Amino acid sequence: MPSEIEIKLDLTNEALESLLGSDLLGDPDEALQQSSTYFETGDRRLSQKGFSALPALPTSRL
């Protein structure tokens, strides 16, 4: 059964180009550009309880 591994990186353009130019990640099956928006209560109750609220948003294929 296939599994999904998700990593999120906050990279400069130069670091992204360096990573993509290396053989570290191999060749992708496909590439998606995604955006994440996290929500929190004013008193930070979500993170204090170990939760994050992230809506599912459409992605665009590169």
Side-chain angles (χ1 to χ4, degrees):
M1 171 182 278
S3 63
E4 178 180 321
I5 297 173
E6 179 178 317
I7 59 172
K8 293 183 181 181
L9 305 172
D10 186 11
L11 303 173
T12 63
N13 287 338
E14 294 81 17
L16 175 61
E17 291 301 320
S18 178
L19 178 62
L20 294 176
S22 75
D23 63 354
L24 180 65
L25 300 177
D27 293 326
D29 292 334
E30 67 178 316
L32 301 175
Q33 182 170 352
Q34 299 179 320
S35 173
S36 297
T37 303
Y38 291 88
F39 296 92
E40 180 59 277
T41 61
D43 58 2
R44 302 189 45 82
R45 281 183 288 163
L46 290 173
S47 60
Q48 289 172 2
K49 297 289 184 178
F51 295 101
S52 63
L54 176 64
L57 301 174
T59 59
S60 63
R61 298 191 187 283
L62 296 177

